[in-house]
Every structure is written in structure tokens, then in C-alpha cells.
Amino acid sequence: MTHPRHTQVAIVGAGPSGLLLARLLHRAGVDCVVLESRDRAYVEQRQRAGILEQSTVDTLREAGAADRLDREGIPHDGIELRFDGRRHRIDFPSLTGGRRVWVYAQTEVVKDLVALQLEDGPPLYFDAPVHAVEGADTHRPVVRYGHQGEERLLDCDYVIGCDGYHGVVRRAVPAGVMRVHERTYPYSWLGILADAPPVYDELIYAHSERGFALASMRSPQVSRLYLQVPNGEDPAAWPERKIWDELDLRLGADTGWRLTRGPVTAKSVLPMRSSVTEPMRWGRVLLAGDAAHIVPPTGAKGLNLAASDVTVLAAALAARYADADTALLDSYSDTCLRRVWRAEQFSYFMTSTLHTPTEHSSFDTRLQVAQLERIARSHHAAAELAENYTGAALQP
């Protein structure tokens, strides 16, 4: 296997942000190489997000990466809120001028993008951990990585960090240059995959004095379900029957409604936190996706923010190489951070409105119910939720 010594753009990380960026750059005629520390099987099996915004779907279609999504993805025109013994549906198209979301797991997005890149895209190396990024503030940074037992060098014009919050690329930026804003929430999610058909054709977000619950899906045969649990909870403390019983209590809204049960095939606890790194660029290093920001999953924004980052970044790099125009690159961080903070605010709103920490008083709970009642009764409040959930149109 021949390894290039130079490329225009080195992309570190073959998650959805790195792979989508590579696809967009390839179609724009910009050379790039993708380096991923894990093997292909691991990358394609990571369970993450499952909701795609309208703009994300539009970008995947533009990239030629939506054939299977259009066949197998499940379009959703709303969500249901359950609180105080009531059910209320938020209709997205009528509130947003026709925008909707799709249920299509991140694992499937990654599989589609990997297949396209290996078929006709730029170089993609699995099992290629990056050890260091040197010269990030020069015109020719160098990426040091290992592959097939050898240490290799890749010099480039730009390094894009799509390798997550704990990735190597963030460490190329000197301490104190970037500022990190963070919030840790006092609860986590117990998430399960179950071989059970969803009992409702859209997502259910349930507020309960027992804690939050979410009923989602991965396919017409597979349910994805979540329960609010204390931080540090051991998944082993939740046998299957206990999980299903608690889901029934929280999602039933005192109506006797019950889930369809089936074998639990995966179970894990997901911590809840928010983080934003400012700025998202230093010298020739640019951050995208989880390397730059993390949101709690309540608002379904993580994958979608990553997609919006790389859509903006691909347009900026294309302008740089086609016209020697760096204006979009120079404004990349500011452009993305406007959308990031909007998504952080929405994710915080959804999280704080629907979850009930153990220290909550009855007063706090009634305030949450009052907010949910306002969404149910006010067109303007419902429209704001729908607009944020489906995502605003991208404006690079």
C-alpha cells in the first residue's frame, strides 16, 4: 500500500464528520487523506445518534451519500410530549414550513460513507493512530501517525480534527489559546436497544416525577429506549424486567399504556454534559464535531452539528483552493459557533425541562409542567421547539 507524503487536507477521525468532510472535499476537487485510529468494524458499529435534521439529509443527498437513507430511513413529521398524564404532539411541517427529521442511525451513515470512500474516494486508513500534529501554526503542518507497524509522516496545508474531545488534534493547540465552556448534568441515560417493534410511529419524550424517559427506534423491528438514571449507575443493576417496568411507568403517563417488550440486545449508561471550545481554529488546525463541542442527547443535535460544521468547512476549503479566497475559512469558527450555541441552548432547554433531578422540589416540577403546557397551548412556543428540533437551514 502506497502512502502519500503530502495532501492538501489531513482529516483525523473517520466518524461521520470526518467521512462526510472527505466526501464533500472529494467532490469539490480538494485532495485529502483520512486517518482513523480504530479498525473498520469498530467504526461501523459505534452506537450513537439516530435523528437526522433536514439540513443533514440535504447535505448527504448533495454528497451522493443518501441512496440507502432514502430507501430505509424513516421520515418523522413530529414528536410526542407526555407530561402530567397528558399526551401532546408537535407537528413539524405545519410549524416550520415543511421541515422534518429522519430516523437513520449514525452507524448506517458511517457505513454508507465508508463504502463510498473505499469505492472511489480519497485515501482512508484504518488502524492508523495519529501520534502528534506538529507545526500547527506554520504553513505546512505535519501529522505523525502509525500504520502497519511503521511510523509515517504526512505533511499538509490544513489539519482537521474530527477525532473527538479527547483526540490528538486538540492537543496540538497550545494551552490557553482556546477556551472551553462546560456543564455537567446531575444524571445520565440508561440506553437500550431491543428487538421489539416501536409502539408509536414517532419519538416520545416523557416528563415524569420518576424521571425522564424517551422512546425512539432504529427500524420498524428495533426500539431504542432511554431512562434517566443517577450518574455512575451500573447497567448491571437494571435487569430486563426492571427496565421494561420502569419504561412503562414513565411513558404510560398514568393511562395504562404499555410498551411492546422484546429481548434487550445492548445496554449502556451515557453521561450527560455540554462543552464548547472557542475558537474552533488555531493556525492551520480546525476542529469539527465532538472535537469542538458536545451536547446532551436530549435535543438530537450532536451528529447534526458535526454535519453542519463540515458543510461550512468544505465550502470554505473549496473556495480556498478554487479561488484563493480565504474569507470563509477565516470566518469558519464564528459561523459555526453561532449555530453551536443555539443548539447548546436548545439542548439545555430540552434537558432541564424534561429531567427531574433527585433534589427537585414539587415547585421545580410544577415549573417544568407549566413550560410544557405552554408548548402545548401556544403556537409560538411549539413553533420555536419545532424549528430548533428540525434545524435551521445552513447559511455558510
Side-chain angles (χ1 to χ4, degrees), residues 17 161-166 170 178-182 273-280 287-296 301-310 332-333 335-344 347:
S17 57
C162 298
D163 54 342
Y165 184 84
H166 298 290
R170 286 176 61 93
M178 290 179 170
R179 184 178 180 187
V180 180
H181 310 272
E182 293 186 299
R273 72 186 187 98
S274 299
S275 175
V276 179
T277 297
E278 295 182 328
M280 291 168 58
L287 305 179
D290 286 357
H293 41 72
I294 295 169
V295 291
K301 292 295 161 210
L303 171 57
N304 294 294
L305 275 182
S308 68
D309 287 348
V310 299
Y332 165 72
S333 181
T335 299
C336 290
L337 284 170
R338 284 193 294 271
R339 191 178 186 91
V340 167
W341 279 113
R342 178 174 175 177
E344 290 283 0
S347 298

Side-chain angles (χ1 to χ4, degrees), residues 124-140:
L124 165 59
Y125 299 110
F126 293 105
D127 293 307
V130 171
H131 302 141
V133 175
E134 300 171 352
D137 57 344
T138 70
H139 292 297
R140 188 57 61 86

Side-chain angles (χ1 to χ4, degrees), residues 110-128:
V110 168
K111 289 174 187 175
D112 295 343
L113 290 168
V114 166
L116 283 170
Q117 185 147 340
L118 294 178
E119 179 183 344
D120 69 352
L124 165 59
Y125 299 110
F126 293 105
D127 293 307

Side-chain angles (χ1 to χ4, degrees), residues 3-7 145 152-156:
H3 291 71
R5 293 294 304 273
H6 173 76
T7 189
Y145 71 101
R152 302 181 186 277
L153 300 179
L154 178 66
D155 65 81
C156 54

